[in-house]
Amino acid sequence: MPLTRQDPSSAGRRGRRRATSGRKVLRWSATGVALVILGTAGAGYLYYEHLNSNIEKGERSSGDSKAQRTEPNAAGQTPLNILLIGSDSRASDKNVALGGSSDNRDNPPLGDVQMLVHLSADRKNANVVTIPRDTRVDIPECTDPETKKTYPATNGIINESLGRGGAGCTLATWENLTGVYVDHWMTIDFAGVVSMADAIGGVEVCVKQNVWDRPLPGMRGGSGLKLKAGTRKVQGEQALQWLRTRHAWGSDLLRARAQHMYMNSMIRTLKEQSIFSDTGRLMDLAESATKSLTVSEEIGTVKKLYGLGMQLKTVPTNRITMTTMPNVQDPLDENHVVPDGENAEQVWRMLRDDVPFDANGKDKQKSGEKDEDGKVSKDPAAPDAEIAVQVRNGTGSDTQAAATGRAGAVAQQLVGEGFTQAVADPSAALSRERTVVSYPSADLEGDAQQVAKSLGIPLTSVKRSTDVSGITLVVGADWREGTAYPEEKEPEAGDIPDNADAINGSDKNQCMEVYEPYRW
């Protein structure tokens, strides 16, 4: 009988996900280590050219994405979003030795670990979100920058995006799902995790019971992690085992929690160490960091990574919050998950609006309030009767069918408001989490904003897009009934849904519960 355990934070969903033969999960902690190290590695310029030659680079986006950068706040600052990807690639002997499954050596890599680091516009806090590897999403059309092969758009598991055009395809997938513009990506493989874990010198983790993640009758796999109860320091291959452990915690979702605990502990460890006083160790860390990472080409130098790290290292640990995307069981496959509607959208909105996941700042509202006047187009709107508007139904989602008649109802409301050229698009319904008003060129921005204002749609939902030929209103899943856009409470700092499993970076009391069959 399969050994499973219900995830306490997700009632109704099986605790154990289907084991995938030959696939082990790489955890992303080394990437975060690299960011912190490079932020303190000023002495690394002694080896500038050498370190530059260590860094592998790739195209930022290789997929079809329409996400736009967040507008600057009143101080002219913008947030920074970095996508961290852990690859299960078996492309080297060392990765095969660490990850096993040499039969899969030539298979496309899977992005089994994916998380977004959002650094606030004022650089005072950092929000981190993991999307579980078995999440079903829309993957856009992507072209592999090396082979030039084009992969058609598909609906599939998010970890498959890495093999459909590289990290740039995974980035485009995230942008389309969240509406968040992603500035950069970084990837790391098994060998890189071990190298970085050795370089840092160990990180403290905690288990409530003795743990041994090993094969059991009816359950293959296991990372090999074996620890006694209590707080223990792990490094090198044992750190990789911690980050890959799944069965001993009981689920993929709980594995993400263990990774977040590790990452927070690692950040605290680095902040406590006097790296500047030990030049030799500093250079070892910089060497490991540059060899471990592949990065998007626009940040592919030590100087640019150094600048990036300098921005990240100043964030206090109590302003760093690790979360997992709120999710529910996939209605099409019990072994997969999908975003949890309004709760997931709350997380994405907080990222788009630059709202802290923590409530530990002096300003309990947004980290950098936008100038309201800066949102309004300087281009005056035409008279309402002269503005042509196409209305489309986008109220469907992964968990519910589109509401019938929405395009017609909203178009009729617009006509009643004086937009006599508003028409409903009779084509097939779309799937959009949020309502959006799109316009193709700057001279139509004022018209698009006028349409939004007439229905109470926030101006943050007015977007420029090359996908439309005129002003287009897509009624999203957030507006399934009524003719006036539902009022929304502006999210405030700390308004994270309960099922995001948030862990603050200053919390030293986190300890993993071991699923009983894996205790010893």
Side-chain angles (χ1 to χ4, degrees):
M1 180 175 180
L3 298 169
T4 63
R5 182 174 68 172
Q6 179 100 353
D7 180 356
S9 67
S10 52
R13 181 165 61 254
R14 288 192 176 184
R16 176 181 59 84
R17 300 276 173 241
R18 179 177 52 197
T20 303
S21 178
R23 295 295 187 185
K24 305 294 184 182
V25 173
L26 166 66
R27 293 309 173 193
W28 55 279
S29 64
T31 304
V33 176
L35 290 174
V36 177
I37 291 169
L38 288 167
T40 58
Y45 282 102
L46 296 173
Y47 300 108
Y48 182 76
E49 292 301 327
H50 167 68
L51 294 177
N52 272 340
S53 67
N54 287 343
I55 303 171
E56 294 186 24
K57 299 178 283 292
E59 190 173 291
R60 189 194 75 85
S61 178
S62 57
D64 183 18
S65 171
K66 303 301 183 295
Q68 297 180 335
R69 293 180 185 272
T70 301
E71 292 295 323
N73 61 17
Q77 304 164 310
T78 55
L80 182 66
N81 296 299
I82 307 163
L83 180 61
L84 311 181
I85 305 170
S87 165
D88 77 341
S89 170
R90 309 298 202 278
S92 70
D93 291 340
K94 189 166 186 180
N95 281 336
V96 169
L98 291 168
S101 302
S102 59
D103 291 344
N104 293 324
R105 183 167 186 152
D106 296 326
N107 287 0
L110 296 176
D112 274 346
V113 180
Q114 300 180 24
M115 69 176 56
L116 188 72
V117 177
H118 171 91
L119 184 62
S120 64
D122 60 13
R123 303 304 189 255
K124 293 182 179 179
N125 68 84
N127 302 335
V128 182
V129 185
T130 291
I131 291 184
R133 66 172 188 171
D134 291 328
T135 302
R136 182 168 61 83
V137 298
D138 289 328
I139 301 173
E141 178 182 292
C142 295
T143 299
D144 190 303
E146 295 183 4
T147 67
K148 306 306 179 184
K149 178 179 178 180
T150 296
Y151 296 85
T154 187
N155 183 263
I157 306 308
I158 197 168
N159 69 350
E160 297 172 355
S161 61
L162 186 63
R164 299 177 61 86
C169 186
T170 302
L171 178 145
T173 302
W174 271 76
E175 288 190 335
N176 288 339
L177 175 66
T178 66
V180 175
Y181 182 88
V182 181
D183 298 273
H184 316 296
W185 57 257
M186 296 183 173
T187 69
I188 194 166
D189 59 15
F190 291 142
V193 169
V194 173
S195 173
M196 288 302 303
D198 277 334
I200 197 175
V203 170
E204 287 189 344
V205 296
C206 178
V207 288
K208 294 182 179 179
Q209 301 87 17
N210 294 349
V211 59
W212 187 6
D213 191 49
R214 64 201 188 280
L216 293 176
M219 180 63 68
R220 298 190 306 166
S223 69
L225 178 71
K226 190 174 186 180
L227 292 173
K228 289 187 176 181
T231 300
R232 303 282 179 246
K233 181 176 286 189
V234 295
Q235 68 182 89
E237 189 169 351
Q238 193 173 45
L240 177 63
Q241 291 173 341
W242 174 274
L243 297 167
R244 293 176 63 208
T245 293
R246 170 173 54 133
H247 300 312
W249 310 141
S251 75
D252 284 326
L253 303 180
L254 291 171
R255 172 167 52 187
R257 182 186 298 174
Q259 294 168 351
H260 295 162
M261 290 182 191
Y262 178 96
M263 193 65 181
N264 281 335
S265 177
M266 176 200 66
I267 293 171
R268 293 194 299 267
T269 298
L270 284 171
K271 284 181 174 291
E272 292 168 358
Q273 294 174 348
S274 300
I275 297 177
F276 285 119
S277 64
D278 188 343
T279 302
R281 182 165 178 268
L282 180 63
M283 291 302 97
D284 287 343
L285 292 171
E287 184 81 18
S288 293
T290 54
K291 284 184 176 179
S292 297
L293 294 172
T294 301
V295 303
S296 50
E297 57 194 0
E298 75 285 349
I299 53 169
T301 67
V302 170
K303 182 178 180 179
K304 290 179 179 178
L305 288 172
Y306 171 78
L308 182 63
M310 286 298 290
Q311 296 180 66
L312 288 164
K313 80 181 189 73
T314 59
V315 179
T317 54
N318 74 333
R319 302 303 314 278
I320 299 171
T321 307
M322 306 277 175
T323 65
T324 299
M325 177 195 74
N327 58 85
V328 294
Q329 183 175 304
D330 184 352
L332 302 182
D333 188 333
E334 64 182 11
N335 295 299
H336 300 152
V337 298
V338 293
D340 180 15
E342 293 182 2
N343 284 334
E345 176 54 33
Q346 173 81 344
V347 172
W348 308 145
R349 185 180 182 191
M350 292 178 76
L351 293 176
R352 292 193 300 263
D353 292 351
D354 197 23
V355 180
F357 285 1
D358 71 279
N360 297 327
K362 293 181 180 179
D363 181 356
K364 298 302 182 181
Q365 300 297 318
K366 297 180 182 180
S367 62
E369 287 286 351
K370 297 177 183 177
D371 184 353
E372 185 67 27
D373 292 336
K375 295 180 181 178
V376 179
S377 174
K378 295 179 181 179
D379 177 55
D384 294 352
E386 296 179 12
I387 300 176
V389 186
Q390 184 181 73
V391 184
R392 305 191 69 185
N393 186 352
T395 56
S397 70
D398 286 326
T399 57
Q400 58 185 345
T404 59
R406 292 302 297 143
V410 175
Q412 186 176 1
Q413 177 66 20
L414 279 171
V415 170
E417 295 285 342
F419 295 87
T420 55
Q421 295 189 51
V423 295
D425 184 345
S427 58
L430 304 172
S431 177
R432 296 288 186 271
E433 286 289 343
R434 291 185 62 82
T435 297
V436 64
V437 181
S438 301
Y439 61 95
S441 56
D443 62 312
L444 292 177
E445 182 180 22
D447 294 357
Q449 290 190 353
Q450 184 70 3
V451 171
K453 289 176 183 177
S454 72
L455 296 171
I457 299 171
L459 295 188
T460 52
S461 295
V462 179
K463 308 288 185 181
R464 185 170 177 174
S465 172
T466 57
D467 275 353
V468 297
S469 57
I471 296 174
T472 303
L473 166 58
V474 178
V475 183
D478 59 341
W479 190 13
R480 292 178 59 84
E481 59 185 11
T483 53
Y485 188 74
E487 292 186 8
E488 291 185 311
K489 175 181 177 292
E490 287 289 327
E492 298 183 0
D495 282 350
I496 288 295
D498 291 340
N499 61 342
D501 199 21
I503 301 177
N504 187 267
S506 63
D507 186 351
K508 299 181 180 181
N509 298 318
Q510 293 288 326
C511 199
M512 290 301 295
E513 181 88 21
V514 179
Y515 184 25
E516 189 168 2
Y518 295 91
R519 301 175 188 175
W520 61 282

